Amino acid sequence: MSGTLTTQAADAGSADHPGAILRQVFGYEHFRGRQGDIIEAVNAGRNALVLMPTGGGKSLCYQIPALLRPGTAVVVSPLIALMRDQVEALRHNGVAAAVLNSSLDAATRFETERRLLAGELDLVYMAPESLLRESTLSWLERIELALFAIDEAHCVSQWGHDFRPEYLQLAELAKRFPQVPRIALTATADERTRQEIRARLLADGCELFIDSFDRPNIRYRVGLKNNARQQLLDFIQREHPDHSGIVYCFSRKRCEETAAWLHGQGLKALPYHAGLDAATRQLHQDRFIREDGLIICATIAFGMGIDKPDVRFVAHLDLPKSMESYYQETGRAGRDGLPADAWMVYGLSDILQIRQLLANSTAPQSQQRLERERLEALLTYCEAASCRRPALLNYFDEDHPGQCGNCDNCLNPPETWDATEAARKVLSCVYRTGQRFGAGHVIDVLMGRETDRIANLGHADLSTFGIGQDLDKKTWHSVIRQLLAHGHLQPDPEGHGGLQLGPDCRCLLRGETTLTLRRDVAVPRKRARGSARIEVDTSAPGWQALREWRLVTAQEENVPPYVIFHDATLAAILDARPDSLAELANISGVGRHKLEKYGEAVLDVLAGLG
Ligand code: ADP
Ligand code: ZN
């Protein structure tokens, strides 16, 4: 890459304030959320802690101050693949940035160090272990530093799943470089993690910036499992043909099977889990990032460190482990702000399985209580009969007024019914049959069916035999599932699939409370998107031509397609149909550097459309 931004900016003589850099370098018109305030604070030399959801636009919060302040910014990031992509994206905007880590060959490393010492780099990305090496620290002391940005700062928290011991040593930066401002950023929302980041990385004081964790462009849907694979296939074929997506599964085996099955149905799908060797995993991840329209079937091991902005859907074929996991995993959809789907199906067996895991937990009491609370929150979310967003965001201590208009319950409000009587019938039937049998048998007794088992056990003589003929089997199933979700029922501790009365069922049995349940629906289908949502019209003439040009260009440069232009930018280009470079320059996502590099080619593609 020729010429650093510093020289370009000097030429232009105007890019000396945040808004100008935003426009000229990144091609964007407005700051999002609190970006402007954050940039101002860091630019003025203050420390900052930034809590923003995935896709919120954290990178600009340190990239713009890095360009405005004299010296080089050091960005600490835990993942080498991520650093590479970020540096590629910066270079495509004409910014002088480089990676410095153990994966470099000697010549590249030498050249990067030379450029650093010569003050030619605006940003350098490093893994914490490289940064903290004494030799690195001592030559950093010899150059001018603009700031330290500590990305994925939750890695410093021992409570989180991503704890990295090296992050603890980053506390050293405050002592060695007291004059250099530090900005720590994370998308992890819980309070405990925040406190740890502050205590460990910003103990000497910082400004706190918390953005809303709502992701308005993600449409949340939760449905009932009923041949899950087929449901998934229908969903993808109907709503996301040719789109990139992630399907999360509970086990490695299910990842494999699901990927193979989708593949057999003519979709591009690959598995990703810890049981695959490192090379295969890497290959599958690379293909996901570089190709359009690939589906990854993954365990939770997949996703951290992937910046792909155009993941259009995240599907769960099994319940996630917790509300945090669900939020993190679904959050990988729609980073680019365009409409995206979070789609999940679950059923009675999922609840049984998770309740079972919990019951058999050998963790200390206090830990078990936490685990239970987390699970309850997740089940409450699944069974919610009103807007999903309050249930999701309240978990992270954020209020939401509901009626978001972009979740299944808002779009198709579920019917509810008074299930008090039905619930009492189930509970007494479970009790009368001895708290040993699974849902199937309990329903048979309720419905008064003459099965061999009932005959052998003499259950036809029970007072609850046949008291449930007013409802059908599916409805009883639904009642039992919801009773389990609400804790009125629980699985037997031996894990034989038997149902027992849960701790919360007394009031119901005594008639002291009533119970309202939702009527089950399959996952609601797509409806017309609200007008506020910008949609990429993939059938628009020219869309395929632009994407084709982007893919070829990306392959020539050996970068992911979104590094050239985001989908949102391509869509805006198609919409505006510019016929001069000056008009193209006005489109969001087209900075000065990209205009120069790709402008003519884009105009050619547009001209070719006639
Ligand atoms: P995060 O790191 O918070 O997940 P990123 O920094 O990767 O998010 O930004 C997400 C996407 O939003 C990126 O593609 C980025 O280019 C885009 N973006 C960020 N800020 C703006 C803005 N002010 N206007 C338009 N797009 C933006
Ligand atoms: Zn809603």
Side-chain angles (χ1 to χ4, degrees), residues 430-506:
V430 165
Y431 182 72
R432 297 277 170 220
T433 49
Q435 307 196 57
R436 300 189 282 134
F437 297 95
H441 183 69
V442 171
I443 292 173
D444 283 344
V445 174
L446 279 169
M447 297 185 72
R449 312 213 5 219
E450 316 261 346
T451 66
D452 291 348
R453 203 176 195 190
I454 285 181
N456 293 340
L457 293 161
H459 280 176
D461 301 332
L462 296 175
S463 60
T464 51
F465 184 76
I467 58 169
Q469 282 163 357
D470 51 331
L471 299 175
D472 63 9
K473 189 168 163 185
K474 244 170 87 185
T475 308
W476 285 119
H477 225 264
S478 163
V479 173
I480 291 178
R481 191 194 75 247
Q482 295 185 68
L483 287 173
L484 270 164
H486 290 293
H488 298 305
L489 283 176
Q490 62 186 21
D492 70 69
E494 292 81 35
H496 300 318
L499 298 172
Q500 297 189 343
L501 298 188
D504 304 335
C505 75
R506 302 265 165 258

Side-chain angles (χ1 to χ4, degrees), residues 386-390 400 402-411:
S386 55
C387 182
R388 303 265 174 212
R389 280 186 161 76
H400 189 284
Q403 302 201 312
C404 71
N406 197 27
C407 72
D408 50 0
N409 289 343
C410 283
L411 293 167

Side-chain angles (χ1 to χ4, degrees), residues 22 28 30-32 35 53-60 307 309 335 566:
L22 182 72
Y28 298 138
H30 309 284
F31 285 116
R32 270 195 200 153
Q35 278 177 333
T54 305
K58 286 184 283 300
S59 322
L60 288 187
D307 244 348
R335 289 172 86 114
H566 279 189

Side-chain angles (χ1 to χ4, degrees), residues 255-493:
C255 290
E256 293 281 350
E257 287 171 356
T258 309
W261 189 76
L262 289 175
H263 185 77
Q265 301 294 321
L267 298 173
K268 278 205 292 183
L270 293 172
Y272 186 102
H273 55 75
L276 295 170
D277 61 80
T280 310
R281 278 210 309 267
Q282 189 62 48
L283 179 73
H284 291 183
Q285 176 167 326
D286 285 348
R287 285 193 56 190
F288 181 65
I289 291 171
R290 280 163 194 258
E291 291 177 24
D292 283 324
L294 195 90
I295 299 162
I296 288 277
C297 298
T299 52
I300 47 164
F302 183 77
M304 161 93 171
I306 291 182
D307 244 348
K308 191 175 168 59
D310 53 0
V311 176
R312 294 270 68 86
F313 69 90
V314 168
H316 281 90
L317 278 189
D318 297 294
L319 280 177
K321 278 215 303 257
S322 65
M323 214 57 178
E324 285 97 330
S325 312
Y326 178 71
Y327 180 79
Q328 293 293 342
E329 287 158 18
T330 54
R332 290 171 186 141
R335 289 172 86 114
D336 54 9
L338 295 175
D341 280 298
W343 181 98
M344 173 157 78
V345 286
Y346 79 110
L348 192 140
S349 60
D350 296 276
I351 302 182
L352 273 175
Q353 188 178 14
I354 292 208
R355 284 237 183 262
Q356 198 69 57
L357 277 176
L358 209 60
N360 295 342
S361 168
T362 50
Q365 280 292 310
S366 57
Q367 185 71 26
Q368 279 191 30
R369 212 194 61 232
L370 270 177
E371 281 177 16
R372 183 158 306 118
E373 281 170 15
R374 285 178 169 176
L375 177 71
E376 301 298 347
L378 182 65
L379 294 181
T380 306
Y381 172 81
C382 291
E383 297 287 354
S386 55
C387 182
R388 303 265 174 212
R389 280 186 161 76
L392 187 58
L393 293 168
N394 283 350
Y395 189 75
F396 301 109
D397 298 322
E398 186 177 326
D399 289 329
H400 189 284
Q403 302 201 312
C404 71
N406 197 27
C407 72
D408 50 0
N409 289 343
C410 283
L411 293 167
N412 297 294
E415 269 183 60
T416 55
W417 59 296
D418 182 349
T420 313
E421 200 47 44
R424 291 174 66 182
K425 286 179 182 173
V426 169
L427 294 173
S428 40
C429 190
V430 165
Y431 182 72
R432 297 277 170 220
T433 49
Q435 307 196 57
R436 300 189 282 134
F437 297 95
H441 183 69
V442 171
I443 292 173
D444 283 344
V445 174
L446 279 169
M447 297 185 72
R449 312 213 5 219
E450 316 261 346
T451 66
D452 291 348
R453 203 176 195 190
I454 285 181
N456 293 340
L457 293 161
H459 280 176
D461 301 332
L462 296 175
S463 60
T464 51
F465 184 76
I467 58 169
Q469 282 163 357
D470 51 331
L471 299 175
D472 63 9
K473 189 168 163 185
K474 244 170 87 185
T475 308
W476 285 119
H477 225 264
S478 163
V479 173
I480 291 178
R481 191 194 75 247
Q482 295 185 68
L483 287 173
L484 270 164
H486 290 293
H488 298 305
L489 283 176
Q490 62 186 21
D492 70 69

